[in-house]
Amino acid sequence: MKKYLLLFLLLAVLIPGQLAAQTRGQNVLTGIQRKITWHTPVDSLQLMAKALAELQTTKPNAYLTYWGAYTQYHLYFRAVQNKTEAEEHLVKGIALLEDAPTKTAEHYALLSLLQGLNLQYASFLTVVFKANTAKDNAEKAVALAPDNLRAHYARGVNDFHTPKQYGGGKVAVAHLKKAIAAPEKPDPNPYAPNWGKADAYCYLAQAYQAAGQLDLARKYATEGLSKYPNHGRLKGLLAKM
Amino acid sequence: MAFFSLLRARRLLRSLALLCLPVAVATAQTSTTLRGTVADQVTGEQLLGATVRLAGQPSGATATDLDGAFALPFVGGTPDTLVVSYVGYRPFRLVLQAAPTTPVAVRLVPTGSLTLAQVEVTAKRPIAEEFIVRELDFLSIVTNPAAAADPLLAVRTLPAATTLDESASISLRGSDPSQTGIYLNNVPIYDAVKFAQLTGIGTFGIFSVDLIKSVLVFPSNPPLEFGNAGAGLISLSTDERPRDKFVQASLGLANSGVLAGRPVGQRGMLKAYVNAQAGQLLRAVNPSSFRQLPQFGLVDGGVHYATKIGEYGTLKAFGYGLSERYAYRPVTGGPETYHYRNLRGFYTLSYEQAWAHSDLAVSHGLSNRRAHDALGNYRTTRRSSDYYAAIHYRRYWTATLSTRAGLSYDERRLHLAGQFPVRRDELSATAPTYAAAFGQGRTLWEAYQYTKLTRGAWVLGAGLRLNALPRPAQVGYGSAQLNVRRNLNAHRFLNLSGGQYTSFTSPDPVYYGFLRTRIRQVALDYSAVSSSADGATLTAAVYAKQERSVLSTNLVGAEIFGQRTFLNRLRADLAAATVHATPTRYDATNPDARALALTQRRYDVRFQLKSTLKFVSKWGELGAFAQYRAGAPFTPVLGAAPDPTNGGVLPQYPAEVNASYLPNYFRTDLTASKFIRRQTNGNTLVLYAVCSNIFNTRNVSGYAYTPGYTQSVPEYFQRRLLYFGVVKTWQ
């Protein structure tokens, strides 16, 4: 009798813990895109990164990988003043995506963006080759999903930041225009991402600005801001124009 | 007018009524929830995050939870078709005749097909890629201070390289360099070295680093999809990626040349280069390092063209030509100087085509060579030609099971003709000679299959390679291999490989033709790469080999290698290795076998330490490479005895060959470089300086003897050598 009582007690202690852990894991993914925005505080992002990593160890999954890397992408921008920490976030995000056994266009696009940011920490000998890898991954994303917003966004950003003498600045506008015309969420899965359009407007305006076409730059910045009135970078960009 | 207004109002009311009708009907309908679970059909694992929706209603999709469960609300009587999709699985569709009353259990089937990007990448990789122990890319070659931007010299710095001289002929894990297969775009390149005096009497590889994308090194158990390699394999791939037009000019003491590249059409890239080495400049700066080399120089060049064909096809063509010569004055003195001249040309052609479930590769190569050498009354002309063609087909049966099969034709012909001294020790220009000619060759038709299965953390591979066309002159033989890899996690793995291999090499065309060698080996490799920013790497290996030919030996060895970056500026690695080779065995009644044993090396390296340091700062980059190892075994001459056949003298050797050891070997190289890029146009400038053997250590490479064998004189590897140069790129 004592034995059964002990067993019951043990189950009573363990099962709620297990259920709570599962619920926590489940909660991380529910509405995750809404939880990660440019306004999300650092500590929330860190908690989310931890929860995603924990869940990834028990239930490896392409979405968990993606959001884990995306959280690192946001953490990088929060830590940009601290070079070491910022680079650590990029390296973590890149490693997560590179280790993913199956990658979709979304994975390749995000990987390209992270690799592009990471170029600032590369030595002069490695920078050219790392830049090629970032470009290749953006092109893979576009090849896999020709109508994907974030694939075109990644390719456009990559081209925008590539110096002219290395062939940059030729296709940024075309890809960013495709990005703003693409649906935000082609994958109906609730865990799929939908971010990027406001940022694409911002880069498109910057690309036109860099080309000296200020009218078009102002037009797209205004259009972007009308659709995303809370986007800080668009506001700032338009204010400077 | 009033009539028309009334008509419009009625139409409007009717339209509004029609619009309201479905809403009323919908509100009258009941809301139901479709429940079920989604799991992997093979493993039964519940899938998190699978997309579940009804056909035609993409906006109403849901995803499975941690238990693979889903709940999809729908409105109406009977849903149409349930659609479940998940990355890496075939989409599942279930036509519903009625709303199910019990949960739907969905089992998804892994697709077995690869994504488009993976197809493109995978097609260019060998099937045994999981068992590669080391991969070098362009960067690791150009930034290696001991590699002098040479892909093969970069391999020499790996712990698995047991090369006992300073040449680019690579010995892997204690086997003779002739047993190491070197492949360029799947085509074997025999004698892949050219003479260059940077390393005294050493050699450099013939592959320009500017064309190379990656170097795969299999130090043990060469993959069977490659041909006739017995011990290890180095597979080089050229870079097919297009880039903008550029011109690069290099001017240096050691080497000067021009490299140019330009896109051809939409997807092709053409690169061409020519190099020249004038020995006089190098000699002028380093006179003491070239006392034995009064004359040397070379010119070589290559053209590489690569293009994409269709969506996943790649064509690569490479042509190469070389003309080189040198004169060598023996350390024992004497009036005669050894002269060597070599002309060589080869081309390779390869085409790879990938599909979602399969890929095809065709490769072909042709090489011709003519070499002349002369010393006193001895002079020969050696002609050789190699021809190779192969076809490979790979099929992905599922995502985890694939097979590669192929057929190859490999022909080699050697011809040697010349004047030989009647008395071996009498080499004066006026001494009597006799004329002779030798011809050797081999033709190999081989077929193979290699199958690989991935199951969770395990990767298994097994293959067989057989003589496809046995003939009396080329009797049947076979090679077999088994590989097991266990991924301990994403960054660490263990690899156990074993097999038996048959190869045909020609150590000496005068005494032997192509010797058949059977090598049995087993190796256990461990690799761990940290995911942190310091890129820490640790590899270790133990192996055992048995080599059987006219000469036989057994080997056991171990190696360990660690690498790490400190403070983002300093990259350091350290390698330690040991190989024990039993004394060479041969048929004592066969004088040719003993003669061969006296010329062959025994790779008994009791210890070997190698270390590379690279330091990057805003002023430039500094690199250092150091190697310290036990002296190589050699056979000393004990004295001389009269030769009754021609009245000369014959050297007397100990009964056991290669039983003595040369002094230990130590060498340190330093490099410094500065990279400058102009922000305005992107043009770059690299300034570099290299000082090899900075301590000017006298490393003994062997001993030479006076004509009567009364006195021995040590021969040394390269002494201290300084060279520098500049590389300018316009783009």
Side-chain angles (χ1 to χ4, degrees):
Chain A
M1 185 62 192
K2 216 184 247 178
K3 194 168 61 181
Y4 292 110
L5 205 62
L6 275 173
L7 188 65
F8 176 77
L9 279 172
L10 194 67
L11 288 173
V13 170
L14 288 180
I15 287 175
Q18 181 74 16
L19 285 175
Q22 286 208 356
T23 313
R24 275 200 304 276
Q26 188 68 36
N27 285 343
V28 177
L29 274 179
T30 307
I32 189 161
Q33 178 68 89
R34 286 196 306 277
K35 295 176 194 166
I36 309 176
T37 68
W38 294 115
H39 306 292
T40 311
V42 177
D43 50 353
S44 301
L45 286 171
Q46 284 167 341
L47 283 174
M48 206 170 300
K50 195 180 166 201
L52 285 164
E54 279 172 8
L55 193 54
Q56 179 79 9
T57 56
T58 54
K59 205 87 180 174
N61 177 278
Y63 288 111
L64 290 173
T65 307
Y66 182 86
W67 290 112
Y70 187 64
T71 313
Q72 298 299 333
Y73 178 66
H74 270 261
L75 281 168
Y76 158 79
F77 286 104
R78 309 303 195 279
V80 80
Q81 299 300 329
N82 181 343
K83 277 187 179 178
T84 314
E85 194 192 333
E87 190 185 2
E88 270 175 24
H89 289 306
L90 293 176
V91 170
K92 270 186 200 168
I94 291 167
L96 271 172
L97 292 168
E98 283 184 337
D99 291 346
T102 312
K103 296 185 190 70
T104 64
E106 300 285 6
H107 291 88
Y108 279 116
L110 182 55
L111 181 57
S112 169
L113 289 168
L114 289 164
Q115 287 169 331
L117 291 168
N118 204 26
L119 289 179
Q120 62 192 296
Y121 305 113
S123 73
F124 67 84
L125 280 169
T126 60
V127 71
V128 176
F129 309 99
K130 287 187 174 177
N132 276 337
T133 309
K135 182 183 165 192
D136 285 352
N137 284 325
E139 284 179 345
K140 276 180 195 171
V142 173
L144 280 168
D147 297 322
N148 187 288
L149 186 171
R150 284 158 292 280
H152 285 292
Y153 172 67
R155 182 68 188 96
V157 170
N158 179 276
D159 188 66
F160 177 78
H161 285 294
T162 304
K164 273 189 180 172
Q165 57 268 28
Y166 295 103
K170 289 176 184 165
V171 295
V173 165
H175 280 285
L176 291 166
K177 273 185 158 178
K178 282 182 185 174
I180 61 165
E184 287 191 320
K185 193 167 178 294
D187 182 349
N189 193 304
Y191 304 153
N194 66 3
W195 62 275
K197 191 163 277 196
D199 300 324
Y201 269 108
C202 194
Y203 265 104
L204 183 57
Q206 283 181 284
Y208 275 123
Q209 196 180 24
Q213 295 173 278
L214 291 180
D215 290 347
L216 283 168
R218 201 170 291 115
K219 177 196 160 191
Y220 283 106
T222 311
E223 188 180 313
L225 199 60
S226 68
K227 289 182 181 175
Y228 304 94
N230 296 322
H231 198 271
R233 273 182 64 208
L234 271 173
K235 275 184 197 169
L237 187 67
L238 202 57
K240 281 179 191 168
M241 287 176 185
Chain B
M1 189 65 188
F3 171 76
F4 285 111
S5 298
L6 183 67
L7 196 64
R8 271 204 297 271
R10 284 180 66 179
R11 277 184 188 161
L12 189 67
L13 282 172
R14 199 184 300 156
S15 305
L16 280 172
L18 281 171
L19 277 172
C20 291
L21 190 63
V23 179
V25 172
T27 48
Q29 286 176 342
T30 51
S31 176
T32 319
T33 300
L34 199 59
R35 295 178 189 280
T37 54
V38 180
D40 182 304
Q41 191 190 47
V42 179
T43 63
E45 186 193 356
Q46 294 145 342
L47 299 174
L48 163 67
T51 309
V52 183
R53 63 184 175 89
L54 290 171
Q57 298 180 25
S59 58
T62 188
T64 52
D65 64 14
L66 281 171
D67 299 320
F70 66 86
L72 180 68
F74 73 95
V75 177
T78 304
D80 178 10
T81 303
L82 179 71
V83 182
V84 182
S85 55
Y86 193 69
V87 177
Y89 290 84
R90 282 192 196 135
F92 173 89
R93 298 174 79 87
L94 177 67
V95 177
L96 301 168
Q97 301 297 337
T101 51
T102 54
V104 182
V106 177
R107 295 286 178 268
L108 292 184
V109 182
T111 54
S113 65
L114 304 161
T115 64
L116 297 179
Q118 283 172 309
V119 165
E120 191 180 17
V121 172
T122 310
K124 293 163 192 160
R125 308 285 297 186
I127 190 169
E129 67 170 317
E130 280 87 352
F131 312 112
I132 295 166
V133 171
R134 195 73 193 270
E135 178 168 3
L136 306 174
D137 58 11
F138 175 86
L139 268 178
S140 59
I141 297 166
V142 295
T143 59
N144 187 327
D150 184 278
L152 292 181
L153 286 179
V155 175
R156 201 181 62 174
T157 63
L158 297 180
T162 45
T163 306
L164 290 176
D165 55 24
E166 293 179 336
S167 80
S169 297
I170 306 296
S171 155
L172 290 173
R173 291 187 173 168
S175 289
D176 190 81
S178 64
Q179 299 295 344
T180 301
I182 296 177
Y183 280 69
L184 178 72
N185 294 336
N186 297 337
V187 176
I189 306 295
Y190 298 105
D191 305 321
V193 289
K194 65 185 180 186
F195 186 90
Q197 283 66 27
L198 290 180
T199 49
I201 196 86
T203 47
F204 269 136
I206 56 177
F207 308 110
S208 168
V209 69
D210 297 288
L211 305 181
I212 299 298
K213 184 166 76 174
S214 77
V215 180
L216 307 181
V217 183
F218 297 82
S220 290
N221 296 290
L224 292 176
E225 63 196 287
F226 295 97
N228 217 253
L233 188 128
I234 300 166
S235 171
L236 303 103
S237 298
T238 53
D239 195 348
E240 75 279 9
R241 291 171 294 190
R243 55 177 285 194
D244 286 345
K245 184 179 172 184
F246 71 97
V247 176
Q248 185 182 85
S250 63
L251 186 65
L253 274 185
N255 204 50
S256 297
V258 179
L259 165 74
R262 60 168 300 161
V264 177
Q266 290 288 315
R267 313 168 77 187
M269 186 74 199
L270 181 72
K271 290 178 188 169
Y273 67 92
V274 60
N275 286 309
Q277 183 189 57
Q280 296 89 329
L281 282 172
L282 204 54
R283 281 193 69 205
V285 176
N286 304 276
S288 61
S289 296
F290 295 102
R291 287 205 179 98
Q292 265 63 57
L293 285 164
Q295 181 194 11
F296 57 91
L298 68 84
V299 178
D300 72 338
V303 180
H304 180 261
Y305 174 69
T307 185
K308 301 274 276 180
I309 295 178
E311 199 163 8
Y312 297 113
T314 307
L315 174 76
K316 291 178 181 176
F318 177 56
Y320 175 80
L322 163 73
S323 171
E324 60 181 348
R325 62 170 61 203
Y326 69 86
Y328 176 74
R329 199 174 290 144
V331 289
T332 49
E336 306 300 345
T337 300
Y338 177 76
H339 291 273
Y340 176 84
R341 189 156 52 91
N342 182 32
L343 284 170
R344 179 167 193 193
F346 73 80
Y347 76 84
T348 67
L349 197 60
S350 64
Y351 177 68
E352 292 172 310
Q353 174 69 49
W355 298 275
H357 297 277
S358 57
D359 59 67
L360 179 76
V362 184
S363 51
H364 157 67
L366 178 65
S367 170
N368 278 302
R369 182 177 179 182
R370 194 175 67 199
H372 305 273
D373 64 345
L375 175 65
N377 58 350
Y378 163 91
R379 56 192 65 235
T380 66
T381 299
R382 296 165 194 242
R383 287 191 175 86
S384 67
S385 60
D386 307 325
Y387 180 84
Y388 179 84
I391 182 165
H392 312 266
Y393 177 74
R394 170 162 43 186
R395 172 80 189 170
Y396 295 94
W397 307 107
T398 68
T400 57
L401 179 67
S402 58
T403 298
R404 197 169 205 196
L407 182 68
S408 68
Y409 175 80
D410 187 355
E411 181 185 320
R412 296 199 72 190
R413 293 281 174 265
L414 297 176
H415 183 264
L416 185 150
Q419 299 286 327
F420 299 89
V422 173
R423 281 172 50 179
R424 284 180 66 179
D425 57 324
E426 196 173 11
L427 291 169
S428 70
T430 53
T433 59
Y434 67 95
F438 310 90
Q440 308 288 356
R442 62 141 168 81
T443 303
L444 305 175
W445 280 96
E446 293 179 354
Y448 76 92
Q449 80 78 30
Y450 189 91
T451 300
K452 185 177 74 177
L453 172 70
T454 305
R455 196 80 178 167
W458 294 89
V459 186
L460 304 174
L464 201 61
R465 188 175 184 99
L466 298 169
N467 180 359
L469 196 66
R471 299 178 308 282
Q474 193 74 72
V475 292
Y477 60 89
S479 301
Q481 184 179 89
L482 183 67
N483 303 99
V484 182
R485 170 170 162 152
R486 166 87 169 127
N487 294 314
L488 303 172
N489 60 34
H491 306 287
R492 294 187 297 134
F493 68 84
L494 272 171
N495 180 13
L496 178 66
S497 296
Q500 172 177 303
Y501 310 88
T502 309
S503 64
F504 293 83
T505 54
S506 175
D508 188 338
V510 178
Y511 290 103
Y512 292 96
F514 283 87
L515 289 181
R516 175 169 161 164
T517 305
R518 190 199 70 200
I519 298 180
R520 285 178 178 155
Q521 54 180 306
V522 60
L524 178 66
D525 287 274
Y526 169 77
S527 176
V529 180
S530 163
S531 59
S532 61
D534 64 18
T537 304
L538 176 73
T539 64
V542 287
Y543 57 91
K545 279 185 188 179
Q546 186 191 67
E547 298 186 356
R548 296 287 179 267
S549 185
V550 172
L551 311 177
S552 296
T553 187
N554 295 336
L555 298 116
V556 288
E559 64 200 36
I560 187 163
F561 170 82
Q563 188 177 52
R564 199 179 165 214
T565 300
F566 300 90
L567 304 169
N568 277 333
R569 294 191 173 280
L570 178 68
R571 186 136 184 97
D573 68 46
L574 178 66
T578 179
V579 191
H580 173 66
T582 59
T584 311
R585 299 190 304 280
Y586 53 89
D587 179 3
T589 61
N590 181 354
D592 288 344
R594 182 168 168 80
L596 183 65
L598 285 167
T599 60
Q600 293 290 94
R601 282 194 182 278
R602 174 181 160 217
Y603 286 82
D604 188 53
V605 190
R606 289 160 294 170
F607 69 88
Q608 176 166 251
L609 295 168
K610 295 176 189 174
S611 181
T612 307
L613 295 174
K614 280 180 269 183
F615 178 71
V616 182
S617 74
K618 62 181 177 182
W619 297 289
E621 182 167 312
L622 276 175
F625 173 74
Q627 183 182 9
Y628 181 53
R629 64 164 170 80
F634 81 109
T635 310
V637 174
L638 302 177
D643 184 352
T645 58
N646 56 28
V649 289
L650 284 173
Q652 297 297 299
Y653 296 99
E656 190 177 331
V657 299
N658 282 320
S660 300
Y661 291 87
L662 295 171
N664 291 351
Y665 174 97
F666 176 70
R667 174 174 154 165
T668 303
D669 302 336
L670 271 182
T671 62
S673 59
K674 173 70 181 165
F675 178 89
I676 303 160
R677 178 192 290 141
R678 288 188 67 181
Q679 295 298 326
T680 50
N681 53 18
N683 292 345
T684 61
L685 183 72
V686 178
L687 306 166
Y688 67 90
V690 178
C691 183
S692 55
N693 194 1
I694 53 169
F695 298 116
N696 204 20
T697 314
R698 290 169 183 264
N699 291 306
V700 178
S701 63
Y703 293 96
Y705 297 89
T706 51
Y709 299 100
T710 54
Q711 196 180 351
S712 68
V713 183
E715 290 179 308
Y716 297 110
F717 284 119
Q718 178 209 301
R719 304 293 300 280
R720 184 189 295 134
L721 184 67
L722 174 70
Y723 61 95
F724 43 85
V726 57
V727 181
K728 168 87 179 168
T729 305
W730 296 268
Q731 47 198 352

